Amino acid sequence: MRWLRRGRRLSTQLLAGQVVVLVLAGVVGFALLARTVHSQLDRQYEQRALAIASATAAMPEVIDALSSKRPAQVQPLAMSIMHSTRASYVVVIDQSGIRYSHPNTNLIGQKIAEPVVALDGRTHVGIDHGSLGYSANGRAPVLAANGQVMGEVSVGVLETSFADQVTGELTSFGLYLAVAVAVGLAVALLLARRLKRQTFGLELDEIAALVQEREATLHGIREGVVALDSGGRIRLVNDQARLLLGSTLWDAGRPLWEVLAPGALRELVEPAAPDVADRIVLHAGRFLLASRRRVTGGGRDLGAVITLRDRTELEDALRELDDVRRLTDALRAQQHEFSNRMHVMSGLLELGHYDEAISFAVQIDGATAGLAAELEARISGPRVVALLVAKTTVARERGVALIVVCDSHVDIDDRIADALVSIAGNLIDNAIDAATSGPVAPDAVRAVEVRLAQGGQELVLDVSDTGPGIPTGGVESIFIGGWTTKAQDGGPHRGIGLSVVCHAIEQLSGHIEVREGCGARFRVTLPRARQQAAHD
């Protein structure tokens, strides 16, 4: 088992692959080399045989013997030429195919089985696989003085040196192959070491297992994960991140800030952005808890990993709980104020001041009903009126005077009433908090003014306070999720109210203006044309 495991090592596989490739290349190269050498030897020996045949055919003794039909004088000459040139045979044949010479004397005077090919007056070469062995053959015509073909001379040269030449070539090729294998092994070892460093010492099966585990983990978790390289380009995006970010342009190698719309999340993924943990951001109508952590390895910057958690449902639940808490505070304030008034009424009745008790009761009823009646007369949206009445009570409980001003009748469509309640509620709550944290002086008045106006095609909401105001230069960042001037007490995330306000205004195609300096002022303008279209 240990040997099998070693056989799967990356270095072993590289070495084995390198050896197999080199051996295959050597076998193919040797086959091609042997074929080339064989062809060259054939051509060389064919030309050698033809040269001997041509020289023999031009000898006067051969021409005279064929013309006079005297074969006896040809055999000694042919044997002499055969021994001097180391040819395997020198055969002189007349035009009728009768042999005048042959190494086997018994065949002299006999007719050859094949036709005399040189009767056409041209030379011929070829390979003869005869009884003497593998030989190259050359045939030349014997010509009379008048140019008439009288016969042919056939010479064969045995290729005895072929094996010796191939052996020499094979030895050289074997040395070359050995050097190539050695170089290949060295390169494979160096490549294996480099790959080891790049893969942190993991083997191929371990890398494959990690990839499978990564795919199963990244695409199975409910957190969005985005991996970036050192240049801020996308390397990996899991399914949950695609769902949360809502973009379809997730091409690998594309800078992430080009994919995202301008906003807090885009600033978080800039290459120079610092590491952050659990920053709440509002993106595409979702509350996301974003974290960014830079990744390093071996002292090198490898990029960054961004994780995203969807807190939309939780934030909505917390905001509803916060609304319930505020309503409870308003009811508690009303109950506290009602108890005080009942104590006054009880004391007046016990003292017998019945007329004054009746007058006090009428005064209380008129003050409470007067505000609600006045707001209902000028504002057509009951939800907005209920919000303003409740916020007035809460503000009075906290020592802040909430002043509502409506110079004209305001018509609020039911379809945008919820958005306007969210916008006004967040701005008024922030204004009350700011007014209570303002400078304390004996004659200081802590107040919040809410002004609603409607004219032409616009609905305008103004919320101002007597608090410390927006810091100079802070207008650009107050609508980013997580921006707050309140202390983080470990409870729900703060600093998302203005992000919600900004998102709601964008949904209604409106805009918001902010005044810096002492005493903040927010002016929200909503187009009435959208209200009219929604109402229709």
Side-chain angles (χ1 to χ4, degrees):
M1 295 298 295
R2 186 174 183 181
W3 179 83
L4 291 176
R5 179 170 178 83
R6 290 187 62 189
R8 294 197 302 267
R9 293 180 58 186
L10 178 59
S11 57
T12 304
Q13 293 187 32
L14 287 175
L15 290 175
Q18 194 81 0
V19 170
V20 169
V21 170
L22 291 174
V23 170
L24 289 177
V27 171
V28 173
F30 175 74
L32 295 175
L33 177 64
R35 181 178 179 181
T36 301
V37 171
H38 193 280
S39 299
Q40 290 178 349
L41 287 176
D42 284 344
R43 288 193 296 271
Q44 290 175 5
Y45 279 91
E46 286 173 352
Q47 294 302 317
R48 179 180 173 185
L50 181 61
I52 298 172
S54 298
T56 303
M59 288 183 175
E61 294 86 348
V62 174
I63 297 173
D64 182 64
L66 289 178
S67 61
S68 61
K69 304 294 182 178
R70 290 178 300 188
Q73 64 184 25
V74 176
Q75 176 66 10
L77 178 62
M79 295 301 295
S80 175
I81 294 173
M82 185 180 68
H83 290 299
S84 63
T85 59
R86 295 182 181 180
S88 57
Y89 61 87
V90 176
V91 180
V92 179
I93 306 169
D94 64 9
Q95 61 183 358
S96 60
I98 302 300
R99 299 185 182 92
Y100 278 39
S101 67
H102 197 278
N104 185 358
T105 58
N106 295 326
L107 297 178
I108 297 174
Q110 295 185 8
K111 189 175 182 178
I112 63 175
E114 68 274 6
V116 180
V117 297
L119 292 178
D120 59 359
R122 291 181 296 178
T123 60
H124 297 270
V125 294
I127 300 300
D128 185 9
H129 299 276
S131 59
L132 298 177
Y134 187 86
S135 60
N137 177 259
R139 298 187 182 191
V142 180
L143 302 176
N146 59 1
Q148 181 181 0
V149 178
M150 294 184 295
E152 71 175 13
V153 176
S154 177
V155 176
V157 178
L158 193 66
E159 296 186 6
T160 55
S161 61
F162 176 75
D164 296 336
Q165 293 194 29
V166 171
T167 302
E169 295 287 346
L170 181 61
T171 302
S172 300
F173 190 79
L175 293 175
Y176 159 75
L177 182 61
V179 172
V181 170
V183 173
L185 293 179
V187 172
L189 287 173
L190 293 176
L191 181 60
R193 292 182 59 184
R194 180 179 180 183
L195 291 177
K196 276 284 189 179
R197 290 195 302 269
Q198 293 180 340
T199 57
F200 303 100
L202 298 176
E203 297 296 340
L204 293 179
D205 53 350
E206 296 173 330
I207 295 174
L210 283 178
V211 171
Q212 294 176 350
E213 293 172 2
R214 187 201 70 170
E215 292 297 317
T217 302
L218 289 178
H219 297 289
I221 60 177
R222 296 197 62 187
E223 284 194 4
V225 178
V226 181
L228 308 177
D229 62 12
S230 57
R233 291 176 292 271
I234 300 171
R235 302 302 301 170
L236 180 144
V237 182
N238 70 346
D239 297 337
Q240 186 67 9
R242 295 175 187 269
L243 176 64
L244 295 178
L245 298 179
S247 179
T248 58
L249 303 175
W250 293 111
D251 299 332
R254 185 186 182 97
L256 181 57
W257 61 84
E258 292 184 1
V259 177
L260 300 176
L265 188 58
R266 181 173 176 178
E267 296 178 1
L268 187 68
V269 302
E270 293 286 347
D275 289 351
V276 296
D278 296 339
R279 174 183 291 181
I280 192 76
V281 295
L282 183 65
H283 179 79
R286 295 177 181 268
F287 291 100
L288 303 180
L289 196 63
S291 298
R292 174 196 174 102
R293 183 178 296 276
R294 188 162 294 279
V295 180
T296 58
R300 296 184 296 119
D301 182 12
L302 302 180
V305 174
I306 297 171
T307 58
L308 305 168
R309 281 182 286 170
D310 190 4
R311 287 179 56 96
T312 305
E313 295 181 1
L314 179 58
E315 287 296 331
D316 289 342
L318 290 174
R319 294 184 69 77
E320 290 179 4
L321 181 62
D322 194 44
D323 291 340
V324 171
R325 180 182 61 80
R326 291 173 180 173
L327 178 60
T328 303
D329 291 341
L331 292 175
R332 181 181 55 80
Q334 291 180 344
Q335 186 269 339
H336 184 265
E337 185 177 0
F338 181 76
S339 297
N340 291 335
R341 291 173 178 176
M342 289 302 99
H343 291 159
V344 175
M345 288 287 295
S346 176
L348 291 175
L349 292 176
E350 288 182 3
L351 294 175
H353 301 293
Y354 303 113
D355 294 337
E356 189 172 351
I358 294 173
S359 176
F360 181 68
V362 171
Q363 179 182 358
I364 293 174
D365 180 69
T368 305
L371 176 61
E374 180 180 357
L375 294 178
E376 284 184 321
R378 294 186 174 274
I379 302 174
S380 63
R383 301 175 193 176
V384 179
V385 173
L387 172 72
L388 295 175
V389 172
K391 296 300 182 183
T392 301
T393 305
V394 173
R396 184 166 56 248
E397 175 72 11
R398 298 183 62 179
V400 177
L402 179 61
I403 304 169
V404 181
V405 179
C406 290
D407 296 332
S408 60
H409 182 75
V410 177
D411 186 14
I412 301 174
D413 190 274
D414 290 339
R415 298 190 181 186
I416 65 167
D418 289 338
L420 188 58
V421 166
S422 176
I423 295 171
N426 279 286
L427 293 179
I428 293 173
D429 286 340
N430 290 341
I432 293 174
D433 291 338
T436 57
S437 62
V440 179
D443 56 347
V445 177
R446 297 177 176 178
V448 173
E449 181 180 279
V450 179
R451 184 180 294 272
L452 278 170
Q454 179 176 298
Q457 299 297 320
E458 293 182 338
L459 173 66
V460 179
L461 169 66
D462 271 319
V463 179
S464 57
D465 60 72
T466 58
I470 304 298
T472 302
V475 175
E476 296 295 332
S477 59
I478 61 175
F479 296 107
I480 298 176
W483 188 92
T484 180
T485 58
K486 305 169 188 176
Q488 299 287 351
D489 53 4
H493 285 272
R494 295 186 178 273
I496 62 174
L498 290 179
S499 296
V500 174
V501 168
C502 187
H503 180 70
I505 293 172
E506 290 177 354
Q507 293 296 315
L508 297 174
S509 300
H511 64 276
I512 184 170
E513 300 175 8
V514 184
R515 183 183 67 187
E516 296 180 345
C518 184
R521 179 182 177 182
F522 292 83
R523 168 168 287 189
V524 177
T525 303
L526 302 177
R528 290 188 64 229
R530 183 179 180 87
Q531 302 172 35
Q532 296 287 350
H535 182 69
D536 294 341

